[in-house]
Amino acid sequence: MASKYVYFFGGGKADGKAEMKNLLGGKGANIAEMTNLGIPVPPGFTITTEVCTYFYEHGRQYPPELEGQVEEALRKLEEMMGRKFGDVEKPLLVSVRSGAASSMPGMMDTVLNLGLNDRTVEGLAKETQDERFAYDCYRRFVAMYGDVVLGLKPVEKDDVDPFDELIEKMREKRGVEFDNQLSVADLKELVQQYKNLIREKLSTEFPQDPMAQLWGSIGAVFGSWNNPRAIAYRELNDIPADMGTAVNVQCMVFGNMGDDSGTGVGFTRNPATGENVFYGEYLINAQGEDVVAGIRTPQPINKIQKSDPNTLSLEETMPEIYQELDEIRRKLDRHYRDMQDIEFTIQKGKLWMLQTRSGKRTGFASFKIAVDMVREGILSKEEALMRVEPDQLNQLLRPIFDPRAKQEALKSGSFLAKGLNAGPGAATGRIVFNAPDATEWVKRGERVILVRLETSPEDIRGMHASQGILTARGGMTSHAALVGRQMGKVCVVGCNDLEISYRDRLMRVNGRVVKEGDWISIDGTTGEVFAGEIPTEPSEVLRVLLDKTLGPEDSQVYQDYMALLSWADECRRLGIWTNADQPNQAETAIAFGAEGIGLTRTEHMFFEGDRIDAVREMILAADLEGREKALAKLLPMQKEDFKGIFRVMNGRPVTIRTLDPPLHEFLPHGRQELQKLATQMGVSVDRVEAKMQGLHEANPMLGHRGCRLGIVYPEITSMQARAIMEAACEVTQEGIPVHPEIMIPLVGHVAELKNQRKVVEQAAREAMDHYGVTVDYRVGTMIEVPRGAVTADEIAREADFFSFGTNDLTQTVYGISRDDAGKFLPAYIEMRIWEHDPFDRLDQVGVGTLMEIGVKKGRATKPNLKIGICGEHGGEPSSVEFCHRIGLDYVSCSPYRVPIARLAAARAAIREKQAKG
Ligand code: PEP
Ligand code: MG
């Protein structure tokens, strides 16, 4: 049987369904689903993603069967509509749209009103008795075709669209503000001007044959799969490049047929807050792209959304249509069991649905919708957990403006304007007016806010680099709002008071001039824009959890956060620990749900106050006696630190690592410090300098560090073990339970651990004897060099636990330096030599394999060996999932990533359960 490349939908029946996303793309699959649900959808057909794959594998050729299948579908469409493609009397007009399996909003191109030419436009005019409408469609089509299919677009970053330039000139010439105030003659002249522009610039004619238009557009959609902005979008969103897009050819419906027509977009719930209310925007007498492109600022869909009493909502202007739409939104929300992003058109009082898909939302909304849907009985707890991406938690923890500073800013007159609150959070930065500048400035180390009239898909890299995005036009569903929200950016759109001049690199706002490089602050929660830099403060969740300046009952955000994370805790198997060096960090981590400390880097305490002097004295001492003298000064300080941490942790395990970094990191810099130190130690500057030179290493990361220090200078390990154990004894005597886990770094050979264990055990025994207290302590090791992993069975003989130090393990497995990788890593990522920075996301194939070996061998010796991870990967969602899969007992991460790790761990457990069926 020949392959089926074309799937028809219409008349209440469709060949496809929602599950066929990979074949029909998201848009095509959902249109089919809506058709089958009995929702009014204009009929049409979808050309499958397989054709896209074929197209690229065969030098941009189509499979031979395609032409016949398209023609057949077109005939069926003509029959159903009682119209004919290219017919002068009753022309069939279609739209051609892309639609990949993963939604790529605004990334791919769309052609509307296809089928119009110099003859059919007359037919359309006669049939609708509306010449203005017909020519408005025609001029839009010629411009879109010129742009999307023929590639006539702005070239330089400050350029305006060449077709826009012509219509703008026409508006100026006629002295009108809006396109719909242009006359029929003006529109006819514009069509001519557009056609001339195409001829002049491209030496080609705008095609009059509708079939040529159709195949040109289909080719352009497939071609757009590999345009730079689509590639950039896929890169940023981890969408594989080989999936391809489908093409949807659909009968046109018109929202620009007069005041009983319109078009709009909506969300079945509020995409910013997640509230279960219909949320959307519409424009009377306009065609689809007008809403999203932000050319006119649309009106709210219902009364509750109105902030300006002078606007009219759809609920007021077309109450029956609104009712029908509201029913459809409820139906879709329930049917898909997820918040939907919908597009609709009203043609002469009849409602048509054009699209539904899972809606992009803020982290706040994601939480609220997931939690609400459990409460509404739509989702199970496990399903809700799978709906929230762990990284979205960042948004809930994100700063807001310090309210007092904001009040002052308001009083002092730095308030500039108010736009729509599209992406919550607070951001400050310096103004740039185009995306390439945003990227460049950020590379230089600046914080920027990208300010545009409106954004377009070309801008996404710049948007990504910016702290926040501010636009003068467009609504809550404009490109800036959608993409900004998805990126988790602070975003204010549709700020009409901004008069932006790209050429002069400035904007005028209510009589004030703000220039490129000036500081501004934008509040994406309220839509306010301020001149200058306003300090920020912690989010509601942090205020409840940490600052205690807000009661849990007063914060819905906090309540949703708690609900979801408590469900996560019910599902997860991994323990979630934290990396903390100080009592206050430990406190923060506990508030976020940490169950233990997986890493205390003792050396981080060495820089506090004047401790560094004693550390330096120890390093530079000439002999054991000198070192012991210095260590004796350090001991009470370390002991106090540990006591503080033990008290806060209140019986939870606390893993403390013995000294790790190369000693030279602690040495004095510059003449003055050197002098001071020499005086303190009572030796000459020359002697100190000579000692320092002796410590110099060509490659310190692979030098005298980790357990090698404690082996050569056992008195250091001994002092640290004593400090830990004395602290543990004293805190035990206070009645607080203590579980110290002493961890030896950089072990690659069992003999290293054996040596250090002996030193630790002796110090521990002495401390416990001295206090007459028994402390339940353990001695374990980090696995962070390859030899440690491959000889883990031997090492496990001496270890009570393992903790993977994946920072060093990544460094040593790859043979790249943590300090110097920055020189080539960005190029590697850009060139896709590596998909991700391996210091950020665990390299599961390479480093991960060694971890698996380590786990297997370690447990071959000790089946119940406790194993964790304390490298930075312990708080990165995909790495956490990996740690779950290979059977670690816990992950340890920085305090602010604890909630993210909790959620990621729950998702890993749920995914495993699902895989087992
Ligand atoms: C590691 O190497 O992963 C680790 C946690 O130790 P550090 O980063 O201190 O070297
Ligand atoms: Mg390390």
Side-chain angles (χ1 to χ4, degrees), residues 579 599 601 603 657 660 705 782 784 804-809 818 870-872:
N579 293 358
L599 175 62
R601 291 176 167 104
E603 64 272 12
R657 179 177 73 185
D660 179 31
R705 60 168 288 215
M782 296 188 71
E784 51 183 344
F804 284 103
T806 45
N807 304 332
D808 273 308
L809 194 59
R818 285 159 74 170
C870 63
E872 281 309 293

Side-chain angles (χ1 to χ4, degrees), residues 876-898:
E876 191 282 318
S878 69
S879 315
V880 172
E881 293 214 34
F882 177 78
C883 292
H884 171 97
R885 286 204 300 277
I886 65 169
L888 297 200
D889 295 294
Y890 69 87
V891 296
S892 184
C893 57
S894 59
Y896 279 78
R897 289 184 25 173
V898 165

Side-chain angles (χ1 to χ4, degrees), residues 233-248:
Y233 187 90
R234 288 200 292 271
E235 271 173 29
L236 287 173
N237 292 282
D238 283 330
I239 298 173
D242 56 4
M243 292 198 319
T245 179
V247 178
N248 297 292

Side-chain angles (χ1 to χ4, degrees), residues 135-268:
Y135 276 92
D136 190 45
C137 290
Y138 194 25
R139 66 101 188 154
R140 286 168 191 267
F141 174 47
V142 179
M144 265 192 187
Y145 198 88
D147 171 354
V148 171
V149 182
L150 303 176
L152 202 49
K153 295 175 192 293
V155 189
E156 296 294 327
K157 60 188 183 186
D158 292 322
D159 281 359
V160 283
D161 180 89
F163 295 103
D164 279 356
E165 202 167 2
L166 288 173
I167 197 167
E168 215 173 295
K169 271 196 198 138
M170 182 64 82
R171 281 199 307 261
E172 259 170 45
K173 205 162 99 186
R174 298 288 175 250
V176 299
E177 196 181 347
F178 297 113
D179 299 348
N180 59 8
Q181 294 166 308
L182 294 172
S183 71
V184 176
D186 297 337
L187 295 173
K188 282 185 179 170
E189 194 181 323
L190 268 176
V191 169
Q192 203 49 51
Q193 286 179 4
Y194 286 179
K195 287 199 283 194
N196 293 345
L197 181 75
I198 291 171
R199 187 178 312 116
E200 278 160 27
K201 295 270 182 207
L202 304 172
S203 309
T204 183
E205 289 295 324
F206 166 77
Q208 292 287 322
D209 171 13
M211 279 317 273
Q213 295 171 354
L214 180 62
W215 286 107
S217 302
I218 292 171
V221 171
F222 285 137
S224 72
W225 176 253
N226 273 339
N227 72 23
R229 59 190 211 221
I231 290 171
Y233 187 90
R234 288 200 292 271
E235 271 173 29
L236 287 173
N237 292 282
D238 283 330
I239 298 173
D242 56 4
M243 292 198 319
T245 179
V247 178
N248 297 292
V249 179
Q250 195 172 13
C251 188
M252 281 298 300
V253 284
F254 295 99
N256 53 341
M257 278 189 133
D259 288 343
D260 57 353
S261 302
T263 184
V265 290
F267 291 90
T268 57

